[in-house]
Amino acid sequence: MPKITSISTYQPPYTLQQANAEELTKELFYAKMPKLERYLKVFENGGIETRHFCVPPEWHRTNHSFEERNNLYIELATQYSVNVIQACLQNKAFLASSISPQDIDAIIFVSSTGIATPSIDARIMNKLAFSDRLKRIPLWGLGCAGGAAGVSRAYDFCQAHPTAKVLVVCVELCSLTFQPNDISKSNLIGASLFADGAACILVCGDNATINTIKPTPAILATGSKWMPDSENVMGWHIKNSGLHVIFQKSIPTIITNWLGPFVEQFLLEQELYSEQLTHFIAHPGGKKVLKAYEDTLYLSSQKTDISREILRHHGNMSSPTVLYVLEQFMLHEGKVDDTGLLVALGPGFCAEAVLLKWRE
């Protein structure tokens, strides 16, 4: 079974306390948005203390065109990808020896917060010594589900190519999408929740030659679920000024009524129940989302503690966030024969589930 043999994450350079983010938002929207004080409570009630960004707070005090935002996205997404790939391939917490980029067979690049053709993976290849025969698989538009989807597609690739070594790289620069002139409630919620981040995992097929120094999660099975006619639940409105966030307040209800039965069915297909899971590796979309996971799957709050900690210290970074959660399980929690379920939701509306089992 393909396994995740190394993982790394990257912290962007500008850290902002949630109280300071609230003050900045108040400054930017005070003259534009009625009942602002009431809406600002989302900053205090979201379970977030700090977030990390690719631009300093003052960057948002001036207007920026879509072109300027996107050019900065291309530059920084490439830079952060290089950093997180190098860290993953040299991670002594998991690998007995470093792996050369030349030995990688495929790269899956996941992002939804900027546009680039050629895609960012091609630009990364000009910075690191990958083979010019590397298979490139860019995934765009999956939003918060992208990290889990990337793991699933790496599993598919390694099932077809058992000697393969595949990188999954997730980079999101949500701060570059913030719209200071959009007075919608969705935009304000996004301002209270979203952050920037990058993560990378190395997935290897059964016959790949690689030495690890601690138990790592093998991928037993993956599952996907899509909800018809749900384009307006979550996503982007693309306008002249850039990407404007779409959020429906019904997302926690959807988790309870729609995701719960999917996860239960997925586990039953693997002859498992949620009570048998050692670890629940959830994308922390928000405080209410985590509570909805607990309610629909009958999980104790302890099962979502690590997801809650990542949300508290990093916010919602979209696609990389679930890999930040996975990193903590791989570093500190996972033991031989532990079973874990990795779950994330995203635009479509869709869900991705990955069943993991720790092995030597």
Side-chain angles (χ1 to χ4, degrees), residues 166-179:
V166 180
L167 288 177
V168 180
V169 183
C170 300
V171 180
E172 303 290 6
L173 305 181
C174 300
S175 64
L176 299 182
T177 71
F178 172 69
Q179 299 291 336

Side-chain angles (χ1 to χ4, degrees), residues 27 30 53 113 155 165 178 187 209 215 222 229 233 255-256 274 283 331:
E27 173 192 328
Y30 184 75
F53 300 103
T113 46
Y155 166 82
K165 300 181 181 76
F178 172 69
N187 189 45
T209 303
T222 68
D229 303 315
V233 172
I255 293 173
T256 302
S274 59
H283 167 78
L331 283 170

Side-chain angles (χ1 to χ4, degrees), residues 67-83:
E67 178 182 4
E68 182 185 352
R69 294 166 185 268
N70 203 66
N71 285 339
L72 190 55
Y73 164 83
I74 291 170
E75 175 191 343
L76 295 179
T78 304
Q79 176 187 321
Y80 294 177
S81 296
V82 169
N83 290 344

Side-chain angles (χ1 to χ4, degrees), residues 63 99 103 130 134 206 228 293 346:
N63 288 322
I99 296 171
D103 295 328
F130 287 108
L134 182 73
D206 281 346
Y293 280 131

